[in-house]
Amino acid sequence: MPEAVHVGTGKVRELFALGDERLLLVASDRISVFDVVLPTEIPDKGRVLTGLSGFWFAKTRGECPNHLLGLREDGRSTECKRLEMLPLECVVRGYLSGSGWSSYRETRSVCGIALPEGLRESDRLSDPIFTPTTKASSGHDEPLTAEQAAELVGQERYAELERASIELYRFAADYAAARGIIIADTKFEFGVDEQGQLVLADEIFTPDSSRFWPADDYEPGRGQASFDKQFVRDYAASLGWDKTYPGPELPEEVVAGTRARYVEAFERLTELSFDDYLADPEVVLR
Ligand code: ATP
Ligand code: MG
């Protein structure tokens, strides 16, 4: 077993190299809102992200190859193939929300994709759309048109990313819908292995990378209650915080409420108890 050498710090994860070909991604309990890491942590959040991603990587292996090699006993560490990451955030939207909704209101389009007139906030789109963004090393990711995104990775790779992203979204959205959760939108990161093969990486279908809405509460024409960070975003917005560093401390009830939402998303989607995951993380891979 090669020694783990620290090679990077993301907003949420610490990255370690395990030799030349593998990485250890360790998900912390840090939470970022509007790309700002808050001073308060959410206990077990990193374990929920790691467990849910592992679960989905195992479930979607047939749709698209991915980087997962194994989960460690701490429940927050993923061993994976080290890839050359592509410089795009592959966003898929099945519903009109967040920056997609803002863009639609201004231009009736999202990332250059024209949409029908008369859509309301949170409306379901007749077909999911692929709306990639830049992968900013600091600050906010910027929306791209299909042409701009294709320029960054090449036309052929772009088409492959779009196809894989939409297919993965459809698969998980159907799976989650059957368990009472709407995946309104999501984001993937892909890399390329030594053979030039496209490989799904990072985290997938977690509350950090996706908007999860409880289906029984869904009603278009307004913002939705959610399992994800919206709860924290709403709290932060209620303070009139200007979305720049430093972010606000979170009070105990917001911490507890957020933790409960993360754990609930985990349990509803995996149909496993979070305690069973803590006892043996690889239970999500079976
Ligand atoms: P940033 O790196 O911009 O801070 P982030 O805050 O989303 O983004 P984290 O999620 O904390 O980052 O850390 C994960 C990092 O690891 C990301 O930069 C991601 O692109 C990278 N990554 C994920 N999987 C792989 C992989 N298999 N090979 C190489 N890099 C990977
Ligand atoms: Mg990330």
Side-chain angles (χ1 to χ4, degrees):
M1 174 78 58
E3 202 191 331
V5 180
H6 190 248
V7 291
T9 300
K11 285 186 287 293
V12 171
R13 289 172 182 75
E14 298 298 329
L15 279 68
F16 300 85
L18 299 170
D20 293 337
E21 289 169 14
R22 289 182 301 156
L23 271 185
L24 188 67
L25 294 183
V26 183
S28 72
D29 292 335
R30 297 192 288 270
I31 185 164
S32 77
V33 183
F34 305 115
D35 291 325
V36 172
V37 179
L38 301 185
T40 313
E41 297 195 334
I42 308 296
D44 286 327
K45 174 176 172 283
R47 294 194 171 90
V48 166
L49 300 183
T50 301
L52 261 182
S53 285
F55 171 79
W56 288 114
F57 280 131
K59 277 269 174 299
T60 61
R61 212 173 273 144
E63 326 294 314
C64 183
N66 65 61
H67 74 169
L68 179 76
L69 296 172
L71 302 179
R72 289 205 172 167
E73 270 176 21
D74 63 6
R76 59 172 79 248
S77 304
T78 306
E79 285 187 28
C80 60
K81 275 184 238 169
R82 190 174 191 166
L83 303 166
E84 200 61 57
M85 298 300 286
L86 293 171
L88 278 187
E89 306 253 332
C90 293
V91 179
V92 179
R93 300 168 186 279
Y95 291 75
L96 205 47
S97 179
S99 63
W101 167 239
S102 308
S103 166
Y104 174 81
R105 265 189 314 184
E106 283 162 30
T107 64
R108 200 156 50 81
S109 69
V110 183
C111 291
I113 302 171
L115 294 172
E117 233 169 306
L119 293 179
R120 297 157 297 175
E121 182 175 12
S122 308
D123 256 333
R124 182 168 195 266
L125 303 173
S126 54
D127 282 302
I129 54 174
F130 183 59
T131 58
T133 70
T134 58
K135 197 164 144 35
S137 44
S138 65
H140 301 294
D141 300 326
E142 299 297 334
L144 294 168
T145 63
E147 291 69 32
Q148 292 166 328
E151 247 166 62
L152 284 175
V153 294
Q155 184 57 53
E156 221 167 287
R157 193 65 90 185
Y158 177 80
E160 202 183 353
L161 288 168
E162 174 168 30
R163 198 175 336 112
S165 298
I166 299 261
E167 196 173 314
L168 286 161
Y169 173 79
R170 285 190 194 279
F171 174 89
D174 286 351
Y175 190 95
R179 286 148 189 88
I181 293 181
I182 293 172
I183 303 180
D185 51 39
T186 197
K187 179 217 69 171
F188 307 108
E189 293 184 31
F190 290 88
V192 176
D193 67 13
E194 317 82 71
Q195 284 81 45
Q197 183 182 221
L198 190 66
V199 180
L200 182 58
D202 202 52
E203 63 176 336
I204 58 167
F205 302 119
T206 69
D208 272 17
S209 68
S210 321
R211 279 196 175 81
F212 289 163
W213 295 337
D216 54 13
D217 196 47
Y218 171 67
E219 188 191 7
R222 57 162 169 82
Q224 308 299 305
S226 69
F227 289 104
D228 63 20
K229 290 195 249 191
Q230 198 62 42
F231 188 57
V232 178
R233 290 190 192 111
D234 291 347
Y235 171 75
S238 77
L239 300 175
W241 170 52
D242 63 0
K243 304 179 186 175
T244 62
Y245 271 97
E249 299 262 2
L250 302 177
E252 232 172 76
E253 64 276 13
V254 175
V255 171
T258 304
R259 182 187 180 281
R261 279 165 169 76
Y262 274 81
V263 170
E264 189 183 346
F266 175 96
E267 295 192 329
R268 281 176 73 167
L269 289 167
T270 64
E271 298 171 289
L272 294 165
S273 89
F274 189 59
D275 285 341
D276 287 348
Y277 174 72
L278 296 180
D280 174 15
E282 292 208 332
V283 66
V284 293
L285 309 183
R286 282 170 211 136

